[in-house]
Amino acid sequence: MVPNVLDHKFGGTPYTLGIEEELMICDAESLDLAQAIEVILGDLPEDLPGEVKPELMQSVLEVATRPCKDITEAADQLRQLRRCVREVAERNGLAIGAAGTHPAAHYQDQLIVDHPRYRELAAELKWIAEQELIFGTHVHVGIDDAEKAIYVADGMRGYLPLLLGMSTNSPLWQGKTTGMMSSRTPVFRAFPRVGIPPYYGSWQIYSHRVEQMMRGGAIPDYTYLWWDVRPHP
């Protein structure tokens, strides 16, 4: 049953921070992408300061901090996670890289992670999903009220081009100089429901639009919205 208004869990500690960073897994000698996420996951220590998770491609890993009280704590956890995966990679003849795109890799050579969500995504979007050989960073901010979450998301829309301009780091795509500082952006733009989101104005309007997309069969749930800023129920 599709809800008319999305249930949410806003109401916790405001302005906590969590950071997720997608990193590339490379062969230590050639620096080509390596289909080695299972190797990394199988050699992690138990006392991680956060999580290490797979992403769509087997040559990608994601490190994720726990919810942190401030940016200092989040940055410290992120440094620990980076150091951990780098050490695990070195033990296995691998290297970890960070950029919006790998400078030379071809998406046709990549393998999709064997996970139900990723298999379904690849089956539905086909070539669009297959070419999504990109890497990004997510910053999660705790908000204590649903209407405030919409207010913040609406207000950030005007700053998204500036944030993109400050963070560009992918001038190369499949071994070619693209003439863009962020080749990641047009690659990801092939996905539906990406980029600058629509203006919502209220939680009820946001819920209604998500409900319409779910009833129409466009998305199973709100996690299939990939706007550059978005409220997370």
Side-chain angles (χ1 to χ4, degrees):
M1 183 176 178
V2 178
N4 289 319
V5 177
L6 292 179
D7 291 332
H8 63 79
K9 296 182 179 179
F10 294 107
T13 305
Y15 307 120
T16 52
L17 281 172
I19 301 174
E20 296 177 343
E21 188 173 52
E22 296 165 357
L23 302 171
M24 55 187 76
I25 308 170
C26 302
D27 178 88
E29 295 296 324
S30 67
L31 298 184
D32 292 334
L33 287 181
Q35 314 299 305
I37 182 60
E38 294 301 331
V39 174
I40 299 291
L41 295 178
D43 196 21
L44 292 172
E46 294 184 0
D47 56 340
L48 284 173
E51 291 184 89
V52 178
K53 302 180 285 187
E55 255 297 330
L56 180 64
M57 306 288 188
Q58 294 186 25
S59 54
V60 184
L61 66 82
E62 181 179 87
V63 294
T65 72
R66 301 187 182 103
C68 301
K69 66 178 184 297
D70 54 34
I71 191 64
T72 301
E73 182 182 350
D76 181 61
Q77 283 193 22
L78 191 60
R79 279 191 294 268
Q80 293 181 58
L81 287 165
R82 288 173 175 174
R83 187 182 307 116
C84 175
V85 295
R86 190 169 65 243
E87 291 171 352
V88 171
E90 289 174 357
R91 287 200 298 267
N92 291 278
L94 301 165
I96 302 298
T101 59
H102 187 281
H106 288 254
Y107 67 82
Q108 297 93 330
D109 300 330
Q110 309 309 308
L111 302 175
I112 302 293
V113 168
D114 187 17
H115 183 279
R117 179 182 172 98
Y118 298 143
R119 289 199 304 268
E120 292 168 7
L121 196 62
E124 179 180 355
L125 297 179
K126 296 183 171 60
W127 176 78
I128 291 175
E130 292 168 6
Q131 69 157 356
E132 199 219 1
L133 187 59
I134 56 175
F135 307 83
T137 298
H138 296 161
V139 179
H140 298 261
V141 180
I143 302 292
D144 56 350
D145 178 78
E147 298 300 333
K148 186 188 293 184
I150 295 298
Y151 179 82
V152 170
D154 285 344
M156 284 188 65
R157 294 167 73 250
Y159 294 94
L160 293 175
L162 175 62
L163 292 172
L164 175 61
M166 293 171 61
S167 64
T168 54
N169 61 359
S170 55
L172 303 173
W173 175 246
Q174 300 196 117
K176 296 180 180 179
T177 302
T178 62
M180 296 175 287
M181 293 307 293
S182 179
S183 61
R184 179 191 185 278
T185 299
V187 172
F188 193 43
R189 197 175 287 145
F191 259 61
R193 301 172 297 279
V194 298
I196 298 176
Y199 177 86
Y200 290 114
S202 71
W203 182 259
Q204 184 175 9
I205 293 173
Y206 169 76
S207 295
H208 177 65
R209 291 182 182 178
V210 172
E211 176 259 338
Q212 280 186 314
M213 286 187 279
M214 291 172 65
R215 288 188 183 279
I219 58 173
D221 57 58
Y222 67 88
T223 65
Y224 287 79
L225 302 176
W226 297 297
W227 309 117
D228 288 348
V229 58
R230 51 196 185 264
H232 194 306

